Amino acid sequence: MVILRCRFITINLAPIRPSHFQSHKILHTTRFFRTPNLISTPRITSSSLPTTRSISDEARFARSVRFIPPGVEIEELTDDMVLPGSNIVIGPFAGHSQIKQVEFVKSSARARDCPKDDLPEIAILGRSNVGKSSLINCLVRKKEVALTSKKPGKTQLINHFLVNKSWYIVDLPGYGFAKVSDAAKTDWSAFTKGYFLNRDTLVCVLLLIDASVPPQKIDLDCANWLGRNNVPLTFVFTKCDKMKAAKGKRPDENIKAFQQIIRENFKQHPPWILTSSVSGLGRDELLLHMSQLRNYWDQ
């Protein structure tokens, strides 16, 4: 289930398989802006559509593949409203998105130690070595705002960066790293879950997916856990500049395979976007998407 925290839109996930992200006791934040009747709405794919479609068919198709924010009527949706390299529709809440100032505020080992000034925050999460620090540095256009390392799993605290003195980027520990103790992995899971479940100022989680490798079960498990706990997410594909692979499949093939899994497991398409920290692909578009989420949350 994907929502803008406490007030946006819901997207239900079909169960994938249990993992270390899932708990036997699911904790729900059950306040929603709108809950679609997913039981009576059929899944629609491009291959199943007739040559001529009614307006209602068009609306169902748009809802199944696009992320449509509040304030946008599906029947009025046009291609130029969709951000390039994504399925994200831009609506009336999109506004100023450029980052003019960023400063590191603090690192926290526990969710209750995070800043308490009630400013909206967008968290960035991903498997270790997915390019998380590089993406943050690309977004703010400053080197080493978030330190990069050749050793996956270096970030093991909740790091808050204040942007334009009005909202936070939150750098979360990467998951799935191998070169740490089992105890450290357990601690990571516990305090990160606590952050997701108890942080009322959390607007959205950007879940980073490495486009240079085939779909990973651990990423799908993470998305499933976030959805079950009503944590809003956007899939951000990283390393999309590497369209030639030395081994295995090309990134565009990996992205296509991941999106196919999304279509098979999600009742409605979550937002997703292609990015590259090297070329800057998707940077401005992602910032614009983040702005409309923040502005709607902050109204």
Side-chain angles (χ1 to χ4, degrees):
M1 181 174 293
V2 179
I3 60 171
L4 180 59
R5 175 71 66 166
C6 302
R7 61 182 83 171
F8 205 10
I9 185 172
T10 61
I11 301 176
N12 282 4
L13 292 79
I16 301 175
R17 276 183 287 183
S19 75
H20 62 282
F21 279 98
Q22 298 169 322
S23 62
H24 296 293
K25 182 179 180 182
I26 303 300
L27 302 177
H28 294 276
T29 51
T30 55
R31 294 171 293 168
F32 312 122
F33 177 81
R34 177 168 60 90
T35 304
N37 184 356
L38 297 175
I39 296 177
S40 62
T41 303
R43 180 181 286 114
I44 298 175
T45 63
S46 57
S47 61
S48 65
L49 292 171
T51 303
T52 302
R53 299 193 292 262
S54 66
I55 294 178
S56 61
D57 289 336
E58 293 280 5
R60 292 193 192 96
F61 177 66
R63 183 182 289 121
S64 70
V65 299
R66 303 292 191 196
F67 176 77
I68 303 175
V72 176
E73 296 295 332
I74 298 177
E75 289 77 8
E76 299 176 357
L77 182 63
T78 59
D79 289 343
D80 59 1
M81 297 171 64
V82 182
L83 289 174
S86 80
N87 72 332
I88 299 168
V89 175
I90 287 299
F93 290 98
H96 175 72
S97 61
Q98 293 306 308
I99 294 177
K100 295 183 178 181
Q101 183 180 6
V102 60
E103 58 181 299
F104 172 74
V105 174
K106 67 178 300 188
S107 295
S108 306
R110 298 169 298 183
R112 63 176 177 265
D113 297 328
C114 292
K116 297 177 174 61
D117 50 15
D118 295 327
L119 293 178
E121 51 194 53
I122 294 180
I124 301 182
L125 175 68
R127 189 167 49 82
S128 293
N129 208 29
V130 72
K132 179 164 54 70
S133 295
S134 296
L135 178 66
I136 293 175
N137 292 335
C138 176
L139 289 175
V140 303
R141 283 185 171 163
K142 288 186 178 181
K143 294 181 179 180
E144 297 184 354
V145 167
L147 295 177
T148 58
S149 172
K150 294 182 179 180
K151 296 181 179 180
K154 183 176 181 179
T155 302
Q156 297 185 37
L157 296 171
I158 303 172
N159 300 304
H160 276 75
F161 298 90
L162 182 62
V163 180
N164 296 344
K165 296 187 179 298
S166 61
W167 61 282
Y168 287 108
I169 288 177
V170 184
D171 183 10
L172 295 174
Y175 56 81
F177 46 87
K179 296 182 179 180
V180 296
S181 67
D182 290 339
K185 292 180 182 179
T186 301
D187 290 341
W188 174 89
S189 178
F191 84 76
T192 305
K193 284 182 179 179
Y195 170 82
F196 290 136
L197 297 175
N198 300 305
R199 195 68 177 165
D200 291 335
T201 53
L202 178 61
V203 175
C204 177
V205 173
L206 304 183
L207 181 56
L208 274 52
I209 306 297
D210 188 345
S212 68
V213 299
Q216 303 292 301
K217 180 180 180 297
I218 193 171
D219 293 330
L220 298 169
D221 288 342
C222 181
N224 189 44
W225 187 91
L226 292 171
R228 287 183 182 276
N229 288 278
N230 299 346
V231 180
L233 76 150
T234 293
F235 291 111
V236 178
F237 293 98
T238 64
K239 307 180 184 181
C240 292
D241 57 291
K242 299 180 180 180
M243 286 302 156
K244 293 183 179 180
K247 297 180 181 179
K249 295 183 178 180
R250 302 189 316 177
D252 55 339
E253 295 174 325
N254 294 328
I255 293 168
K256 183 178 179 180
F258 192 92
Q259 290 176 337
Q260 179 61 38
I261 296 173
I262 293 175
R263 285 192 291 270
E264 292 172 355
N265 289 280
F266 286 68
K267 293 293 185 180
Q268 289 179 276
H269 234 300
W272 58 263
I273 188 168
L274 310 181
T275 68
S276 166
S277 299
V278 175
S279 68
L281 172 71
R283 175 192 179 271
D284 293 342
E285 290 79 6
L286 179 56
L287 287 173
L288 195 58
H289 172 57
M290 294 161 69
S291 79
Q292 73 174 354
L293 297 181
R294 292 195 319 273
N295 291 337
Y296 184 75
W297 181 92
D298 204 29
Q299 68 171 343

